[in-house]
């Protein structure tokens, strides 16, 4: 018995190996069979050559320099908030001498008092501060949690990690329609159609590699909006309102003007003299998005159109690298929010193996899933997985993440993992799993397993008793299983 749950052992047992675990020696690798029946598919695929951006695209370091320059004002406000509004620790922000709820207005915006204080300290206007604050939030430099805000991990890595800077800029690029909100006079449905049509216009700009006249973009927008309306084939039911006078309907030219201005605000393009041109950052970001579509179209195991449950079951038969590629392809084909929701729903099911795999897929999602994962911490079956996931996101050493769990939470996770082994693994893995328990002796483990009340306790103990070669230990485990089943002590 060991004094903790080794992360590598636990993840190996639930088919969710870490990159560090994958670098074992050949001998070790031979003993780390996945939790599938003998003969399970360990699918290999030819490696797709690393894609190269279009010729003339600046190097990543130069792109990061451009992104830092464009987001300098947002970084300045984020750092002011970190330094000036800090209470109780470096990861939280709140006004000095006030509750965290005073920091923000509705939906994470700054309160008037805080905006004025920042404006005075930074020699800006309150409106400029609010705009920079919103940009910082969209780029992940500031993260809002409930009634408080804290510096995002990208702010910590801003000066040293070019990849973090570029991911932050792409996050802002993805949120371009929020960075420069449409006029309230524009109908939400028309704005939504324009947002949905813009990727095709951006692709045209990227392929043109130069200025494109606005009339040409307007013609393409008109075609794409017409296609979207045709695809929906909406048939109205019930009483209908009086027809709207076309003169009262905002023109597509107005919507296109708004969209191009919003994209110019985030630095994706320049818009002047009746034409639009992608900036180097904008061209690179569009290329990245097109590559993501290609990844989605080349789903390694063909699970891209499956539900989260079916996709995860398919990934249980893949080696770790192939499984992560499948997660990426599945995620690339869906909006992040709905994908995270679907993965968490899969994790709530009765299959413990899917629970572990769902959180491994959420590791591929990364920071955008934090709010949803944090929201399930109080759900008993998901709590150990969520706490470990959050600790990893906050930079904890992979070998020490188990320390965030209480003894009962560690025991619950041990039983849940054992259930996955019993349902999907080979018998010797269940015996080996006994060695990963946090309790120093088998009797202590059995006492705590009975106490925590995991719904699969009886099945796990019966399977362990049947698998263990030591007759005395197997007898003790069977007795514990009988006591849990009958409600005895």
């Amino acid at each position: 018995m060991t004094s903790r749950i080794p992360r590598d052992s636990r993840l190996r047992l639930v088919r969710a190996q870490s990159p560090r675990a994958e670098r074992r020696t050949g001998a070790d690798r031979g003993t780390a069979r996945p939790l599938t029946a003998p003969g399970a598919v360990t699918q290999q695929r030819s490696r797709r050559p690393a894609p190269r951006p279009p010729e003339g695209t600046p190097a990543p370091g130069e792109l990061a320099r451009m992104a830092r320059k464009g987001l300098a004002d947002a970084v300045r406000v984020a750092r002011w908030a970190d330094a000036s509004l800090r209470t109780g620790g470096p990861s939280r922000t709140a006004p000095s001498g006030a509750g965290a709820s005073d920091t923000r207005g509705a939906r994470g915006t700054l309160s008037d008092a805080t905006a004025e204080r920042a404006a005075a300290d930074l020699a800006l206007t309150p409106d400029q501060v609010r705009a920079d604050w919103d940009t910082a939030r969209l780029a992940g430099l500031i993260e809002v949690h409930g009634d408080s805000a804290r510096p995002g991990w990208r702010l910590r890595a801003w000066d040293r990690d070019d990849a973090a800077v570029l991911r932050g800029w792409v996050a802002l690029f993805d949120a371009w329609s929020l960075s420069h909100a449409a006029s309230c006079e524009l109908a939400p449905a028309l704005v939504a159609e324009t947002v949905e049509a813009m990727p095709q216009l951006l692709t045209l700009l990227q392929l043109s590699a130069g200025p494109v006249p606005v009339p040409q973009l307007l013609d393409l927008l008109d075609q794409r909006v017409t296609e979207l309306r045709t695809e929906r084939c909406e048939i109205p039911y019930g009483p209908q309102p009086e027809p709207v006078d076309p003169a009262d309907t905002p023109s597509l030219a107005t919507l296109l003007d708004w969209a191009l201005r919003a994209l110019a605000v985030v630095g994706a393009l320049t818009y002047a003299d009746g034409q639009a041109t992608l900036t180097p950052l904008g061209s690179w970001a569009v290329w990245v998005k097109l590559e993501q579509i290609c990844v989605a179209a080349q789903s390694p195991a063909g699970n891209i159109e499956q539900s989260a449950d079916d996709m995860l079951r398919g990934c249980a038969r893949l080696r770790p690298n192939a499984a992560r590629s499948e997660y990426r392809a599945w995620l690339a084909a869906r909006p992040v929010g709905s994908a995270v929701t679907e993965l968490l729903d899969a994790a709530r099911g009765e299959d413990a193996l899917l629970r572990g795999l769902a959180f491994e897929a959420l590791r591929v999602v990364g920071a955008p899933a934090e709010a949803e994962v944090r929201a399930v911490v109080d759900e008993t079956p998901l709590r150990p997985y969520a706490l470990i996931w959050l600790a990893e996101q906050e930079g904890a050493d992979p070998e020490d993440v188990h320390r965030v769990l209480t003894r009962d939470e560690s025991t619950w996770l041990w039983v849940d993992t054992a259930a996955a082994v019993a349902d999907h693994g080979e018998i010797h893995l269940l015996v080996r799993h006994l060695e990963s328990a946090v309790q120093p002796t088998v009797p202590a483990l059995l006492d705590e397993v009975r106490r925590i009340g995991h719904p699969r306790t009886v099945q796990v103990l019966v399977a362990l008793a049947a698998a263990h070669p030591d007759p005395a230990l197997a007898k003790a485990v069977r007795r514990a299983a009988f006591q849990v089943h009958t409600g005895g002590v």
Side-chain angles (χ1 to χ4, degrees), residues 69-91:
K69 182 178 179 181
L71 291 171
D73 292 339
V75 170
R76 186 183 178 203
V77 168
R79 286 178 171 160
W80 174 87
D82 184 25
S84 301
L85 304 179
R86 182 182 306 176
T87 61
S91 66

Side-chain angles (χ1 to χ4, degrees), residues 285-409:
V286 174
W287 172 78
V288 167
K289 297 301 174 183
L290 291 172
E291 278 299 308
Q292 289 177 350
I293 294 172
C294 292
V295 168
Q298 297 179 13
S299 170
N303 291 309
I304 186 173
E305 296 182 359
Q306 302 296 324
S307 67
D309 291 61
D310 291 339
M311 182 273 293
L312 293 171
R313 288 191 180 91
C315 288
R317 298 176 60 83
L318 299 176
R319 287 194 178 276
N321 278 336
R324 280 191 288 273
S325 295
E326 191 72 359
Y327 300 148
R328 293 188 187 98
W330 188 86
L331 291 163
R334 290 161 175 78
V336 173
S338 61
V340 170
T341 298
E342 198 172 342
L343 288 171
L344 290 174
D345 286 343
R348 292 185 178 97
E350 296 181 358
D351 193 329
L353 177 62
L354 295 193
R355 195 154 29 251
L357 293 176
F359 275 86
E360 200 59 24
L362 289 168
R363 287 180 173 88
V364 175
V365 178
E370 181 175 348
E372 288 83 355
V373 173
R374 196 174 295 279
V376 304
V377 164
D378 292 332
E379 298 182 31
T380 300
L382 305 187
R383 181 175 175 81
Y385 297 94
L387 290 175
I388 289 175
W389 189 96
L390 290 167
E392 292 172 349
Q393 285 297 306
E394 292 170 359
D397 189 310
E399 297 299 328
D400 294 330
V401 291
H402 67 282
R403 299 182 187 277
V404 303
L405 303 182
T406 65
R407 182 73 163 251
D408 284 355
E409 290 162 355

Side-chain angles (χ1 to χ4, degrees), residues 20-32:
R20 182 179 304 178
E22 292 171 16
R23 293 194 290 270
R24 294 188 305 266
T25 63
D28 290 337
R29 192 176 296 114
T31 64

Side-chain angles (χ1 to χ4, degrees), residues 85-88 91-106 108-111 114 133 143-150:
L85 304 179
R86 182 182 306 176
T87 61
S91 66
R92 299 185 67 81
T93 60
S96 300
S101 60
D102 293 335
T103 306
R104 304 181 296 109
T109 58
L110 284 178
S111 67
T114 305
W133 173 270
E143 298 173 357
V144 176
H145 301 274
D147 289 332
S148 65
R150 72 183 187 190

